[in-house]
Amino acid sequence: MSLLVVGLSHRSAPVSVLDRASLSLDAQTKLLQDAVAAEPATEAAVLATCNRIELYADVDKFHAGVAELSTLLAQHSGVGLEELTPHLYVHYEDRAVHHMFSVACGLDSMVVGEGQILGQIKDSLARAQGLHTAGRLMNDLFQQSLRVGKRAHSETGIDRAGQSLVTFGLEQLALGTPVATWARGKKALIIGAGSMSSLAAATLARAGVSEIVIANRTADRAERLVTLLTEQYGQRPAEGDGTEVLARAVPMGSVPSELTRADVVVSCTGATGLVLTAGAIAAGVEGRVGTQPETARGEVPDTVRGEVPEARTASLPPVGTGTDEDCPLDLTSVPPGFSVMGEAAVAGMDAATLEQHATWAAGSAVDRRRSGRRGADAEGTDPELIGALAATAASVGRIPERRRPEPVAEPPRPEPVLHLLDLAMPRDIDAAAHRLAGVRLVDIETLAEASADAPMAADVDQVRRIVSDEVAAFGAAQRAAHITPTVVALRTMAADVVAGEIARLEGRLPGLDDKHRAEITQTVRRVVDKLLHAPTVRVKQLAAEPGGAGYADALRTLFDLDPETVASVSRAEESNEKNAKNATIANIAENRGPA
């Protein structure tokens, strides 16, 4: 059996695909159940976070395993297989272990070095154990990943390379201002009471916000979080300035009214639809500031639609009269300061018109150079240049357009009065809020773009070395485990030999008392154990090295081990795993009921 992982993350798929492919807890449960019920896999685990969905499995066939796991991910995510496949990545055996350890250390996170992934790995393992889909390999892999991640954080400064997604998101909202300075005195609304929301609430409490309101569908969880915040922060001045954090819980129905009071909103729920629509946000802004900006009513400004305001399309003033007669250009539409004899002036002309313009420019060159009212420079008024362009146009028929597009004036946006941080996948907050005046929205897509330019600490290289060492050690342990049936068979054979010889001794010395018989038996066993100790330890070491699979065959040949004895040990181990799988499948069938 071999480890296989099939998944997608912020590194392989756009946020829009990750958004649609996200898995609820129920979907993760059904995915695990179907994975172990499938033919290629004996055990499985799912790691699903806000920016990754990965299915790990122990499979006996690589190609069949990839096909089956990919199909299952498509079925349970709701994204078609053809659309999902280009964004999937596949890792096998040692590469799969390396990927898992890198994820655990935060090297593959959107914010490098964040430690929240360790809690998510722990939850994933607990879920697989609870569903009995985690066998020896999944338990070994996930537990070792947790140890590797903790080692990386304790032995290196990887924490300095990044921070939690919450902290990174708040920094993006603060636009370069220290979060503690930016958040001080603000009112915060937290939607959701899960681990990410709890972390956001604690972070804002430490930063010195004046109020934290928790809104959650389950009132008990909201009240529990409020209690924890009150115990830890409610009675203690924040940053020594005398401001006390006040936390309270409200039902989800109170969110619209709380929006009119909040300065910062952090949302991270498991909802499959939008929690905050653009209309609700606009109403909150209107209720707060007393007026509703144009964009808050759902209208998109001209600059967003790509339209030019009416003032920009008004007729431009004429350039004057005098020596402009017979000029092929429409001088009434030429702006002041524009050279009618420059290269840009003739862009787009056909060959015939360009020849006329060249003749006109050559005839009026002296007048143009005397008159500087168009702001033309020496290069732009050279009639020879226009003549050369005319000669070139004779072969191609037209001069290509080369003028720069005129800049579109962007109306100034007002300073935001409502800051929104959406950490949910799929999104909780309508993306249309980006266009609302008085609102700043930071979501997963925004964070993905910002993190691409985030600097990486030098400690990352040290963590990578740790990962490489741990992958080698894990692989060695797994390879050594493959020789265990042969070693067990060897020791079983030795025990049978000892038992046979002791029985033979009793036949030859029937008068041997129990004390002497026990001493002789113990002595013979010690001799056999000492003779076998060095070879069995050494063969495990050799088998753990790459290419060490042949040592099991050598051991069987040297000691003339019965292949059936070795196979029986392997079958016993496989039988235990198969029984566990059958029990899981039976539980699945029982829970689903008749078709």
Side-chain angles (χ1 to χ4, degrees):
M1 304 299 286
S2 301
L3 177 65
L4 174 67
V5 56
V6 178
L8 67 160
S9 72
H10 64 99
R11 296 185 184 275
S12 68
V15 173
S16 58
V17 175
L18 280 173
D19 196 342
R20 293 165 49 216
S22 60
L23 298 172
S24 65
L25 290 179
D26 287 342
Q28 292 179 43
T29 298
K30 293 176 182 177
L31 174 59
L32 284 175
Q33 293 171 337
D34 287 348
V36 296
E39 183 62 29
T42 58
E43 50 181 297
V46 172
L47 179 59
T49 70
C50 60
N51 52 31
R52 78 176 61 252
I53 303 166
E54 297 177 342
L55 178 56
Y56 292 78
D58 189 7
V59 300
D60 57 0
K61 298 181 182 68
F62 172 74
H63 294 290
V66 171
E68 185 65 31
L69 298 190
S70 301
T71 301
L72 289 174
L73 277 175
Q75 289 176 351
H76 291 278
S77 67
V79 179
L81 183 59
E82 291 185 358
E83 182 181 359
L84 192 64
T85 298
H87 306 295
L88 293 177
Y89 48 78
V90 175
H91 298 296
Y92 190 55
E93 294 187 328
D94 284 351
R95 290 301 306 169
V97 177
H98 188 282
H99 175 75
M100 182 59 168
F101 288 179
S102 297
V103 169
C105 293
L107 293 179
D108 198 61
S109 296
M110 183 178 295
V111 182
V112 175
E114 61 95 6
Q116 190 175 2
I117 187 65
L118 290 175
Q120 294 164 333
I121 291 175
K122 184 178 180 181
D123 292 342
S124 296
L125 176 60
R127 187 175 302 110
Q129 290 172 334
L131 294 170
H132 305 290
T133 64
R136 183 181 63 188
L137 181 58
M138 291 299 109
N139 278 288
D140 289 349
L141 175 68
F142 276 68
Q143 289 172 358
Q144 185 65 21
S145 296
L146 293 172
R147 288 190 287 267
V148 173
K150 291 176 182 177
R151 179 189 169 190
H153 284 279
S154 63
E155 296 183 11
T156 74
I158 188 67
D159 292 328
R160 296 192 300 269
Q163 61 274 85
S164 73
L165 206 58
V166 169
T167 304
F168 189 58
L170 292 175
E171 287 182 353
Q172 297 305 305
L173 282 179
L175 292 174
T177 305
V179 172
T181 303
W182 171 80
R184 189 181 307 279
K186 284 183 168 60
K187 295 181 174 63
L189 170 62
I190 310 295
I191 303 177
S195 58
M196 191 79 80
S197 299
S198 300
L199 180 59
T203 302
L204 288 169
R206 287 194 300 269
V209 295
S210 62
E211 181 184 43
I212 298 177
V213 179
I214 309 297
N216 193 59
R217 298 189 186 282
T218 306
D220 291 344
R221 296 191 66 180
E223 292 290 353
R224 192 179 309 123
L225 179 54
V226 166
T227 301
L228 292 174
L229 291 171
T230 302
E231 291 176 352
Q232 189 164 1
Y233 304 103
Q235 305 302 321
R236 188 177 66 183
E239 302 297 332
D241 65 350
T243 304
E244 292 187 354
V245 177
L246 173 64
R248 58 188 175 88
V250 299
M252 289 294 289
S254 300
V255 167
S257 61
E258 294 295 338
L259 282 176
T260 63
R261 304 178 64 255
D263 302 299
V264 185
V265 178
V266 180
S267 185
C268 187
T269 72
T272 56
L274 293 176
V275 175
L276 289 179
T277 64
I281 297 168
V285 173
E286 180 184 16
R288 178 186 180 89
V289 301
T291 58
Q292 187 175 9
E294 292 295 321
T295 52
R297 293 195 296 267
E299 299 177 10
V300 182
D302 291 338
T303 54
V304 175
R305 291 195 299 261
E307 298 176 1
V308 180
E310 183 178 354
R312 295 193 58 82
T313 60
S315 299
L316 295 168
V319 298
T321 60
T323 58
D324 295 334
E325 291 83 358
D326 301 323
C327 178
L329 292 178
D330 180 10
L331 297 178
T332 61
S333 62
V334 176
F338 183 86
S339 170
V340 296
M341 289 189 295
E343 183 178 357
V346 299
M349 281 188 181
D350 57 52
T353 306
L354 188 58
E355 287 179 2
Q356 295 176 9
H357 192 277
T359 303
W360 173 84
S364 59
V366 175
D367 293 333
R368 288 294 159 195
R369 285 176 176 148
R370 287 176 182 170
S371 174
R373 56 193 171 89
R374 302 197 202 282
D377 54 27
E379 181 181 1
T381 58
D382 190 350
E384 294 179 0
L385 172 62
I386 299 177
L389 289 172
T392 303
S395 59
V396 288
R398 190 177 185 86
I399 292 294
E401 178 65 58
R402 296 179 61 180
R403 272 184 278 185
R404 292 182 181 178
E406 296 184 9
V408 177
E410 290 282 352
R413 288 178 64 89
E415 287 295 321
V417 296
L418 184 60
H419 299 79
L420 307 173
L421 178 57
D422 186 359
L423 298 174
M425 186 63 74
R427 66 175 70 245
D428 278 348
I429 301 177
D430 193 343
H434 279 293
R435 300 195 297 268
L436 298 179
V439 174
R440 175 166 173 75
L441 169 61
V442 170
D443 51 21
I444 293 295
E445 192 166 6
T446 308
L447 294 177
E449 295 172 356
S451 65
D453 299 326
M456 296 177 63
D459 298 272
V460 169
D461 289 337
Q462 186 176 351
V463 173
R464 287 175 176 155
R465 288 193 292 271
I466 289 176
V467 168
S468 297
D469 293 343
E470 292 286 354
V471 169
F474 186 84
Q478 293 298 310
R479 288 189 293 271
H482 291 164
I483 204 172
T484 299
T486 303
V487 173
V488 171
L490 174 60
R491 290 191 173 276
T492 301
M493 183 194 73
D496 291 341
V497 170
V498 169
E501 290 300 319
I502 294 299
R504 182 180 177 189
L505 179 64
E506 289 179 348
R508 291 186 175 185
L509 300 173
L512 194 66
D513 58 53
D514 293 342
K515 180 179 179 181
H516 288 88
R517 184 186 302 107
E519 185 63 31
I520 292 171
T521 301
Q522 188 64 27
T523 299
V524 174
R525 287 176 177 170
R526 280 199 301 268
V527 170
V528 171
D529 286 341
K530 287 182 178 180
L531 288 173
L532 291 181
H533 177 73
T536 54
V537 170
R538 184 58 179 156
V539 79
K540 287 183 178 181
Q541 294 172 344
L542 294 172
E545 298 176 358
Y551 286 99
D553 295 333
L555 196 64
R556 288 192 293 269
T557 301
L558 289 172
F559 287 91
D560 195 21
L561 296 176
D562 183 5
E564 181 58 30
T565 303
V566 178
S568 65
V569 176
S570 299
R571 283 197 299 269
E573 294 181 352
E574 293 175 359
S575 177
N576 292 334
E577 294 180 1
K578 186 175 181 180
N579 289 338
K581 178 177 179 179
N582 290 337
T584 301
I585 295 174
N587 290 334
I588 294 172
E590 182 178 352
N591 293 333
R592 290 183 175 177

